[in-house]
Amino acid sequence: MWESESESVRGRGYGDGVLSPTKHSLKTDGFELRGRSWHVGTDIPSDLLVQVEDVDFHLHKYLLFSRSGKMTRLVYESRDPDLSKIVMKDLPGGTEAFLLAAKFCYGVPLDLTAANISGLRCAAEYLEMTEDYEEGNLIFKTEAFLSYVVLSSWSDSILVLKSCENLSPWAENLQIVRRCSDSIAWKACTNPKGVRWTYTGKPQDIQSPKWDEMKEPIPGGSHTVPVDWWFEDASILRIDHFVRVITAIKVKGMGYEQIGAAIMYYACKWLPGLVNYENGEGNEATNCSNGSASSRKYNWNGDLHMVVVNPKNKISTIQAKERRMIIESLISILPPQKDSVSCSFLLQLLSMANILKVAPALVTELEKRVGMQFEQATLKDLLIPSYNTSETMYDVDLVQRLLEHFLIQELTEDSSPSSQSFSGKDGLEASQTTASSNQNAKMRVARLVDSYLTEVARDRNLSLTKFQVLAEALPESARSCDDGLYRAVDSYLKAHPTLSEHERKRLCRVMDCQKLSVDACTHAAQNERLPLRVVVQVLFSEQIKINNAIANNTIKEAGESRCQPIASSRKTLLEGTPQSFQEGWAAAKKDINTLKFELDTVNAKYLELQHNLENLQRQFEKILKQKQTSTWSSGWKKLSKLTKMNAMENQDLVDQVPITGEKARKTNRRWRNSIS
């Protein structure tokens, strides 16, 4: 990658990466493989057999003991000076690394490369080939090659880090992994301008529009470098080493968008369940694992789909464990920023996490990340099959949790101190913008939830409670129109024809009849599946809307026909007349106002006179009623007065002559009895 690597080798005495023989070397014709044994071509017979794994090495004691502290200690610990066989079962790097170490002891020139340097460095540490035994021993040579050659080269750093996968924990303890990760991170974050790149990824067709967008011109360079030039090289690493590289890149300060894109690229390559479709079409794109740059054509904006594996082709336990580890590691290194990765990618990752039984804490963290950008999801992303014990076809509980995380996030943003810390005009505008953005997000989520409910309502195993809870999770302000909810309710009624009248009424409570459009009201009025009470509510609300619309249109048309021509004519007249005429018009307007005031005064006086006239009429009618009294009633009143006067006179006579009065009474009674 970096063109200065060959100069670094020659400048420090490595030639072309070949170690020259040392002064204590033995003249030999080289090493020869005979079956499963290596023999040294010398005149002196070998006196030591070293067995590494299942391969035998016939060597000489004095050359190995003069450079390896491990060999010397093994002979000393065995208490046998004539020891002729040593078995090494745990030597890092295996037979290849020991063969190179043995050749170094014999002075055979070694071709050091990025593929063998890490194993040889670990083997030299294991064999304790330090400067205490000889100056310029193998540890010094390999360490110098790593520091001055490998770490200055992009491709060598990648290959060495890849070769460290089978050298744990030696490569970790010797800081090879850390140093290679830092080197890769530093080069990935370096400004590509002015550097001649020879990255491993093959360039795409220059005429490709996507390539034109991704490439960046370099002054004085023969090639152009895409912004994702390092994705393919970094994706060949094992997940733990990839995590180390991404962590180092974060420390260097790379943008979170590019880090998120690298994580998505890595997931596309190592998780077979994630398949990329170009431009949203049904044709499968080139598999990311082919290593070519054509796999750079990836788009995670809603075009990522989950391929449900056939149950007959079950993945093995080892594969499931590896994929589970990859998903857990990717979740742990996701940038915390909201838009670092797409919501579609997060949902697909969440679906696979549920299939592979990822740790619950990481699944919850991933659900929170989806909730942060839930408004970016699509219906295809939410249709996640249910892999638990639930009888429903889709995982409705998961969508419910995602919606709760979204609402909690919105509530947190609204009540956060940062959103309330601004004051003045700018602070007011910022708060209004934030509120408007949150409201738009809620409206998008409401439309998404309505579409999801319409889709899952066809599942006959979906309970009414789950449907109702999900439909009522969003606040009423999130929906300006309930047509989507009406479609979902209608779909649920179609799929569940055995609902009782009470259950149908309960289902219809999730929608507001006053928020239905004219088309929805027309359909609902003819929908036999709806309860009769709901149909009446729909018709009543529609009638109110029609009346309000007619009244508003009438008032609006009348106001426009009266006010607008007058206002426009006045404005045109004032603009087209000189100043003197305008002054005369102002005086005339003042006279008109005076006449209006006088007219109002006359009207008030007229109303007062009319009120007085009404009072006089009432009094006159009262007098007439008194005069119309009958003569018979007046005569009867006079007769009653005379009768009262006679009775009073008779009472006085009775008081004066009591006995006579008594007799008269008896006589009268006797007469009445005879009459009867």
Side-chain angles (χ1 to χ4, degrees):
M1 157 102 34
W2 296 69
E3 295 298 329
S4 60
E5 59 184 78
S6 59
E7 297 177 0
S8 300
V9 174
R10 290 191 293 269
R12 290 173 176 82
Y14 290 99
D16 290 330
V18 178
L19 290 182
S20 302
T22 58
K23 60 183 179 180
H24 296 293
S25 60
L26 178 68
K27 186 177 181 181
T28 176
D29 296 332
F31 283 68
E32 181 182 1
L33 179 62
R34 302 173 186 174
R36 302 291 300 175
S37 301
W38 284 94
H39 297 268
V40 184
T42 61
D43 297 336
I44 303 174
S46 60
D47 55 355
L48 179 64
L49 175 63
V50 180
Q51 186 176 359
V52 180
E53 296 176 350
D54 57 346
V55 179
D56 296 335
F57 293 86
H58 299 273
L59 306 173
H60 298 83
K61 289 183 180 180
Y62 75 97
L63 285 177
L64 296 179
F65 292 171
S66 63
R67 292 175 173 82
S68 173
K70 178 77 172 179
M71 293 289 188
T72 304
R73 192 173 68 258
L74 288 176
V75 173
Y76 176 78
E77 291 175 353
S78 67
R79 307 277 183 184
D80 184 9
D82 298 329
L83 181 67
S84 60
K85 183 178 181 180
I86 297 176
V87 179
M88 296 183 177
K89 298 180 180 180
D90 55 350
L91 185 136
T95 57
E96 296 180 0
F98 185 78
L99 177 61
L100 293 175
K103 288 182 178 180
F104 175 79
C105 293
Y106 280 86
V108 178
L110 301 181
D111 185 11
L112 298 181
T113 63
N116 60 26
I117 187 62
S118 58
L120 185 59
R121 173 67 182 88
C122 295
E125 190 71 23
Y126 177 87
L127 295 173
E128 301 175 12
M129 302 177 71
T130 64
E131 298 297 295
D132 296 337
Y133 294 90
E134 183 179 355
E135 184 179 356
N137 210 345
L138 188 58
I139 290 180
F140 174 79
K141 298 288 187 181
T142 53
E143 188 65 30
F145 187 83
L146 276 171
S147 300
Y148 298 115
V149 179
V150 171
L151 298 181
S152 63
S153 169
W154 166 266
S155 58
D156 287 351
S157 300
I158 291 287
L159 293 177
V160 169
L161 190 56
K162 180 68 177 176
S163 65
C164 291
E165 294 177 358
N166 300 322
L167 297 173
S168 298
W170 289 92
E172 287 283 352
N173 296 335
L174 296 175
Q175 304 294 319
I176 299 176
V177 174
R178 183 191 62 79
R179 288 184 289 172
C180 289
S181 300
D182 291 342
S183 175
I184 294 170
W186 181 81
K187 293 176 177 63
C189 296
T190 300
N191 191 346
K193 294 182 178 180
V195 180
R196 297 180 60 190
W197 303 88
T198 57
Y199 50 88
T200 58
K202 296 179 181 179
Q204 290 179 329
D205 185 6
I206 302 289
Q207 302 299 326
S208 174
K210 292 185 177 181
W211 179 264
D212 292 338
E213 295 175 0
M214 296 166 63
K215 68 183 182 178
E216 181 178 358
I218 300 177
S222 58
H223 297 85
T224 56
V225 180
V227 294
D228 63 344
W229 63 267
W230 57 278
F231 289 3
E232 176 63 29
D233 292 340
S235 66
I236 70 173
L237 301 174
R238 198 173 63 184
I239 183 60
D240 55 339
H241 293 163
F242 179 76
V243 170
R244 295 287 294 271
V245 170
I246 293 297
T247 303
I249 286 176
K250 287 182 180 180
V251 174
K252 302 298 185 206
M254 179 178 286
Y256 64 88
E257 301 95 342
Q258 198 169 354
I259 294 176
I263 292 174
M264 290 191 290
Y265 190 95
Y266 189 91
C268 172
K269 184 170 184 177
W270 289 96
L271 298 176
L274 299 180
V275 178
N276 177 29
Y277 291 85
E278 291 187 20
N279 301 325
E281 299 176 355
N283 297 327
E284 185 174 348
T286 307
N287 196 321
C288 293
S289 60
N290 58 9
S292 65
S294 61
S295 60
R296 299 178 189 270
K297 293 183 180 180
Y298 54 91
N299 182 11
W300 300 91
N301 296 326
D303 295 333
L304 185 66
H305 300 270
M306 170 64 67
V307 174
V308 180
V309 181
N310 191 341
K312 297 181 180 179
N313 301 328
K314 294 182 179 179
I315 60 176
S316 64
T317 305
I318 298 177
Q319 289 177 334
K321 185 177 180 181
E322 291 177 353
R323 295 178 188 178
R324 186 185 308 117
M325 182 175 61
I326 291 175
I327 293 176
E328 291 177 349
S329 301
L330 294 180
I331 295 174
S332 64
I333 62 175
L334 285 174
Q337 287 79 5
K338 180 178 179 179
D339 296 325
S340 57
V341 293
S342 67
C343 185
S344 177
F345 170 75
L346 293 175
L347 284 168
Q348 301 303 323
L349 203 62
L350 180 59
S351 179
M352 293 197 71
N354 291 330
I355 297 173
L356 298 174
K357 307 297 182 183
V358 172
L362 292 175
V363 173
T364 303
E365 182 65 25
L366 190 57
E367 290 177 357
K368 292 180 180 178
R369 288 297 307 271
V370 176
M372 291 173 58
Q373 48 197 105
F374 192 55
E375 70 276 8
Q376 301 174 4
T378 61
L379 179 59
K380 293 185 295 183
D381 301 329
L382 293 183
L383 295 177
I384 300 174
S386 179
Y387 296 100
N388 51 19
T389 57
S390 176
E391 296 180 354
T392 57
M393 183 183 302
Y394 298 107
D395 198 343
V396 181
D397 295 333
L398 173 61
V399 176
Q400 175 68 30
R401 292 195 300 271
L402 297 178
L403 185 57
E404 290 175 357
H405 289 307
F406 168 76
L407 294 175
I408 293 173
Q409 180 68 25
E410 292 292 319
L411 184 62
T412 304
E413 290 181 358
D414 292 340
S415 60
S416 61
S418 59
S419 62
Q420 302 175 359
S421 59
F422 298 99
S423 60
K425 184 177 179 181
D426 295 339
L428 180 61
E429 292 178 355
S431 61
Q432 290 177 352
T433 303
T434 303
S436 176
S437 177
N438 293 340
Q439 183 63 23
N440 293 335
K442 289 180 182 178
M443 295 180 67
R444 288 194 296 269
V445 170
R447 290 192 293 269
L448 177 63
V449 171
D450 293 347
S451 301
Y452 180 79
L453 286 172
T454 304
E455 188 68 26
V456 300
R458 301 184 179 96
D459 186 3
R460 295 189 176 183
N461 295 325
L462 180 63
S463 65
L464 177 59
T465 302
K466 286 187 177 181
F467 183 93
Q468 187 177 8
V469 170
L470 185 58
E472 295 178 347
L474 287 168
E476 295 182 0
S477 60
R479 293 184 177 93
S480 59
C481 180
D482 279 8
D483 286 4
L485 270 181
Y486 172 71
R487 283 191 292 269
V489 169
D490 189 44
S491 298
Y492 194 88
L493 291 173
K494 286 181 182 178
H496 302 78
T498 59
L499 291 177
S500 64
E501 185 70 14
H502 173 71
E503 290 175 336
R504 288 191 295 157
K505 289 181 180 179
R506 176 184 165 192
L507 174 65
C508 294
R509 289 195 194 104
V510 301
M511 63 179 181
D512 187 358
C513 297
Q514 296 181 357
K515 290 185 178 181
L516 297 179
S517 64
V518 177
D519 296 336
C521 289
T522 304
H523 186 276
Q526 303 173 1
N527 194 345
E528 298 179 354
R529 291 179 291 271
L530 295 176
L532 181 60
R533 184 175 181 180
V534 176
V535 175
V536 172
Q537 290 178 355
V538 170
L539 293 175
F540 180 72
S541 63
E542 184 62 19
Q543 184 65 31
I544 292 176
K545 290 179 184 178
I546 293 174
N547 293 338
N548 293 336
I550 293 174
N552 293 333
N553 290 334
T554 303
I555 295 173
K556 184 177 180 181
E557 291 176 358
E560 290 178 354
S561 61
R562 293 178 181 178
C563 299
Q564 289 184 358
I566 295 174
S568 59
S569 60
R570 285 180 178 176
K571 185 176 180 181
T572 305
L573 181 61
L574 289 176
E575 291 177 354
T577 55
Q579 184 68 26
S580 59
F581 286 93
Q582 291 184 13
E583 293 175 356
W585 173 257
K589 187 176 181 181
K590 185 176 180 181
D591 296 337
I592 291 172
N593 293 334
T594 303
L595 292 175
K596 283 184 178 180
F597 176 77
E598 293 177 356
L599 181 61
D600 293 337
T601 305
V602 171
N603 288 334
K605 291 182 179 180
Y606 172 78
L607 293 175
E608 185 178 358
L609 292 174
Q610 189 176 8
H611 180 67
N612 295 334
L613 178 62
E614 290 176 355
N615 291 334
L616 291 174
Q617 288 179 352
R618 284 194 294 268
Q619 292 177 4
F620 180 76
E621 290 174 358
K622 186 176 180 181
I623 294 170
L624 288 177
K625 287 181 180 180
Q626 292 177 357
K627 289 183 178 181
Q628 289 177 357
T629 305
S630 62
T631 307
W632 172 259
S633 59
S634 61
W636 181 258
K637 289 180 180 179
K638 292 180 179 179
L639 181 60
S640 62
K641 289 181 180 180
L642 293 174
T643 304
K644 288 181 181 180
M645 293 175 65
N646 293 331
M648 292 175 66
E649 292 175 356
N650 293 333
Q651 184 65 29
D652 295 336
L653 292 173
V654 170
D655 293 337
Q656 293 174 4
V657 189
I659 297 173
T660 306
E662 180 109 8
K663 291 179 179 180
R665 246 185 281 141
K666 287 181 180 179
T667 303
N668 293 337
R669 186 180 304 151
R670 216 181 272 123
W671 178 79
R672 284 209 302 248
N673 289 336
S674 63
I675 291 299
S676 63

